[in-house]
Amino acid sequence: MEFRIADTFTDSLSRLTGDEQKAVKTTAFDLQLNPAHPSMGLHRIEQSKDKHFWSVRAGSDIRIVLHKTQASLLLCYVDHHDKAYDWAARRKLETHPTTGAAQLVEVRETVQQVVVPVYAQTQLPLAPKRDTSSARLLFAGSPDDELLGYGVPLEWLADVKTATEDSLLALADHLPAEAAEALLELATGGKPRVPAPAVATANPFDHPDAQRRFRVMANVTELEAALNFPWDKWTVFLHPEQRQWVERDYTGPARVSGSAGTGKTIVALHRAVYLARTHPDARVLLTTFSDTLASALHTQLKRLVGSEPKLAERIDVHSLNAIGLRLYRAQHGPVTLASRDVVRQLLDDASKAVSGHKFSLRFLMTEWEQVVDAWQLASWEDYRDVSRLGRKTRLPEPQRALLWAIFAEVCAALAGRKLLTHAGLFTSLALTLSRSKHTPFDFAVVDEAQDLSVAHLRFLAALGANRPDALFFAGDLGQRIFQQPFSWKSLGVDIRGRSRTLRINYRTSHQIRQQADRLLGEQAVDVDGNTETRSDTVSVFNGPPPLIRVVKTSAEEAKLVGAWLAEQMGAGVPPESFGVFVRSEAQLERAQAAVATAGVPFKVLDEHAETTSGHVSIATMHMAKGLEFRAVVVMACDDEVIPLQERIETVGDDADLQEVYDTERHLLYVACTRARDQLLVTGLEPASEFLDDFRQGI
């Protein structure tokens, strides 16, 4: 007997309390070992239209809904007794007559009316040049065969044909996920890819659409792994829109972009695996800019190819700084890196030795990191003539000359001490690679590419050497929070014509995504002119609107946040499903005080970003990258906190000020889009000016 679990089961499991989940997992293990054991207490669900739906007790009031035949056992859903039985009464498992894929379908006659929720009244962000009238029927002109080919159940075809912008998201909640995703893509101007129909004799669970929704559990180990990550979206099977970018051949460097939650990291993971699998002798580097994110990538890779150890061995997962240090030591021997504190002290000493200037140490440090060290400028002429893309402050030549006198002293001091910066290390590696006939990696896949430094990209350009498929990047310009913009093309990485944007958001509700997007523009354009469009992104599920609350005192804020956390936990959200974010370490105490009022343990995340069961996670916005939670609180959005007044005071002209505002907006956007279902944003009067943008439409 084949033992499977459905994504509807793992989704419903995630909404139970920690103790309830433990009981369900124990019962699931027992079912896998011996489903016929009398202790299972299997009961057929009489009110279900599918005669194969059964229930099993997993605690006093918890019921698992099973689909049981002689050949298979499928875990479909789990909830409290009445809710579980109601779910089963309204669904059936069937094989789609056109696609041949197994589907869990909501029975049409059990739905009196597709009601548009109050929070879903806002229009979908449809593609440009479309009639945005809410009365227009979106799919009236689509042939029935086409809609059926997307996996639309036959009994829901009439509803789809009469769907409007106002009703589509509500309708999507009733459809199988593959059908809903295809319709949303079609509504935003895309053309969904349709997997090849299964042959009549094929197992309906073997169809690509079904494989994304139902997984065979070969043994207890596989079942345990699946249940340990109950609300994570499975990474084994891709949406067709994602798959086409994973499996494509590229003549040069390529980049996939998209807003938060569109699956860029998943695409990057699959791309690395695809390259390793299709090139059996190749070594693949899977990397990103920080150790924290690299650790997360490594964990996700293990989930993806944990059963293929030989394949995993050929995929190296490291942060760029870690792999750079390893390669440098292998090629050049021991190296000592200069810390930021050491560089800051050298700058301070040099600035005091050079008279006639009024530059602050903060300005000098930023100018060193973003211009001099970033571009590895070695002479006065280099510094005088460098294009200041990321540092727009206008500096007359005499002032630049004074600055170079300071920086030249620092360069000499570093050389005298035999110290190397990360930028210097990667520049040296790039030079070595450009002269070598051999490369340590055949392919490199880079996640969070928007935060690559100049030196990182220079190294990657040398590593790829413009070979086909050698470099693949995933990123989002709207999440650039660490690096100033610069030209990739000037460093030998030209992605023009090989850049694609993902448009379907799987992680964040329509309501949260729509409001968070108001913090950014409809388009983001990089220095080389590549455009990322956000206006046609669409989420695949609904949720309540985000809450924005501004109060007078930090005590009021703590009480408000604590009450909200307690309310959500009372509704069944476990503590580990909450994330609380603040702008910087200076506000961490406010977050701790707020969580403490809810009477629940918390953990302040360090660079490893490891959450703990039974604990609310607290972190700065910079630490939020790569994390996701069912419910998120973004606290302390006060005036002078975000955007941070200290940064504003350092700018030299309006252009620099705009860059500060952009990255501060990106920070708030990153924090808010860590939320899946629920979002609360708080601040003290006077609140951050960004909240005015965020409030639009609420």
Side-chain angles (χ1 to χ4, degrees), residues 362 640 643-651:
R362 182 187 294 271
E640 299 189 357
L644 191 63
Q645 187 65 24
E646 293 177 11
R647 292 191 66 196
I648 294 174
E649 292 173 353
T650 66
V651 301

Side-chain angles (χ1 to χ4, degrees), residues 33 44 123 183 188 221 303 389 413 498 502 560 660 674:
L33 293 172
R44 204 178 81 79
Q123 290 184 339
L183 293 178
T188 56
T221 302
R303 295 181 200 172
L389 288 171
R498 295 182 296 276
L502 300 173
L560 170 69
V660 168
R674 301 310 94 188

Side-chain angles (χ1 to χ4, degrees), residues 532-546:
E532 295 179 6
T533 301
R534 321 182 75 84
S535 59
D536 59 355
T537 300
V538 65
S539 299
V540 300
F541 65 96
N542 272 311

Side-chain angles (χ1 to χ4, degrees), residues 469-528:
D469 294 323
L471 297 178
F472 186 89
F473 301 92
D476 175 16
L477 294 177
Q479 298 186 63
R480 179 178 57 81
I481 59 178
F482 291 105
Q483 297 295 332
Q484 300 288 333
F486 61 91
S487 170
W488 284 26
K489 184 183 175 186
S490 69
L491 294 173
V493 179
D494 189 356
I495 60 170
R496 292 176 301 172
R498 295 182 296 276
S499 179
R500 298 292 184 270
T501 302
L502 300 173
R503 296 174 300 178
I504 300 178
N505 187 306
Y506 301 93
R507 184 180 69 208
T508 303
S509 73
H510 167 67
Q511 288 70 26
I512 294 174
R513 179 200 56 75
Q514 187 179 59
Q515 296 307 135
D517 279 351
R518 296 181 186 277
L519 294 167
L520 311 175
E522 291 188 356
Q523 287 188 337
V525 183
D526 67 15
V527 173
D528 297 321

Side-chain angles (χ1 to χ4, degrees), residues 584-600:
S584 59
E585 293 182 358
Q587 296 86 44
L588 284 174
E589 288 188 6
R590 284 169 64 176
Q592 294 174 33
V595 178
T597 63
V600 62

Side-chain angles (χ1 to χ4, degrees), residues 248-254 271 464-471 494-498:
R248 176 169 295 195
D249 292 328
Y250 300 94
T251 57
R271 179 66 176 175
N466 284 317
R467 290 178 286 108
D469 294 323
L471 297 178
D494 189 356
I495 60 170
R496 292 176 301 172
R498 295 182 296 276

Side-chain angles (χ1 to χ4, degrees), residues 244-265:
Q244 64 179 311
W245 310 127
V246 168
E247 300 179 353
R248 176 169 295 195
D249 292 328
Y250 300 94
T251 57
R255 181 175 72 188
V256 65
S257 59
S259 58
T262 52
K264 300 179 297 297
T265 297

